[in-house]
Amino acid sequence: VFNDDGQLTVVGVNKSYTAYYGLYSANFTLIKNNGFSATDVSKINLASSGSSIYMGFLSRDVDTYGPRMGKGTITSTEISWIKQNSKFASSPISEGIIAYHMSFVIRNGIIYAAVDDNGRANYSQVHVYRYENNKWHLHGENQLPYFNTVFYDSKGYFLRGWGPMLDIDGSGKIYL
């Protein structure tokens, strides 16, 4: 992800599910790369706004399983990730969802995360959350309960979602 100053942040995960980041200047010169104590992570997504960077990921830890988000601050020389007890700090996006895919975008300081809840498209639902005022809120789903029957009655099939991808246009409209 590029930040507002043109710096590029790249995050990778090794086979032990530990995340490492690389921070590059606008001309792609490496500024810093290291591990930042983010363990048991997979399917990372990044979003940045100003000097803030957010990392959405799927936690593989048995105690914190599911979609989560952590935050850091980008400077000209490094990323200072928020830590708790010397480990990367993160909070759940939604409790009780076993997510398989995630997409993550930000606009005007509001973060949107889309996650699906099943690895098979014929059963999956997509849930979209927004993070504002330091709290996650359900923003929408691909199949709301009242919509389910109406859609099935008119089309003869159910609408399912899998492998979500989010984007936001210049006017703030969200596309899933």
Side-chain angles (χ1 to χ4, degrees):
V1 69
F2 287 94
N3 71 4
D4 294 345
D5 294 333
Q7 292 173 310
L8 172 66
T9 302
V10 177
V11 175
V13 178
N14 67 16
K15 59 186 172 185
S16 300
Y17 299 101
T18 300
Y20 292 84
Y21 81 86
L23 179 63
Y24 295 84
S25 67
N27 64 1
F28 304 109
T29 303
L30 179 64
I31 297 171
K32 186 167 188 173
N33 68 322
N34 69 351
F36 53 96
S37 302
T39 58
D40 298 313
V41 301
S42 68
K43 311 248 176 140
I44 292 175
N45 280 257
L46 298 172
S48 72
S49 179
S51 62
S52 295
I53 186 165
Y54 302 88
M55 184 175 89
F57 64 97
L58 302 181
S59 174
R60 297 176 50 83
D61 185 304
V62 141
D63 296 324
T64 61
Y65 200 84
R68 299 183 70 82
M69 182 189 75
K71 182 181 178 185
T73 302
I74 303 172
T75 67
S76 60
T77 59
E78 68 177 353
I79 299 175
S80 298
W81 298 96
I82 295 174
K83 295 184 178 186
Q84 184 176 18
N85 299 327
S86 77
K87 289 191 74 171
F88 180 71
S90 65
S91 59
I93 293 173
S94 176
E95 299 284 349
I97 288 183
I98 299 176
Y100 287 80
H101 304 95
M102 180 179 1
S103 182
F104 211 57
V105 295
I106 187 168
R107 177 156 172 98
N108 296 329
I110 300 173
I111 303 163
Y112 298 89
V115 296
D116 64 10
D117 61 7
N118 196 302
R120 294 177 49 197
N122 56 338
Y123 298 113
S124 184
Q125 298 297 320
V126 173
H127 311 273
V128 179
Y129 300 91
R130 74 178 182 287
Y131 187 77
E132 67 183 327
N133 301 322
N134 296 316
K135 187 175 178 184
W136 285 104
H137 306 273
L138 181 63
H139 190 72
E141 297 175 307
N142 70 296
Q143 184 169 297
L144 298 173
Y146 61 86
F147 181 70
N148 185 8
T149 303
V150 173
F151 187 88
Y152 183 81
D153 287 348
S154 74
K155 306 288 185 193
Y157 60 91
F158 291 106
L159 183 63
R160 302 288 186 202
W162 179 80
M165 296 176 70
L166 284 177
D167 205 355
I168 300 177
D169 70 11
S171 67
K173 192 175 206 177
I174 300 170
Y175 293 90
L176 173 63

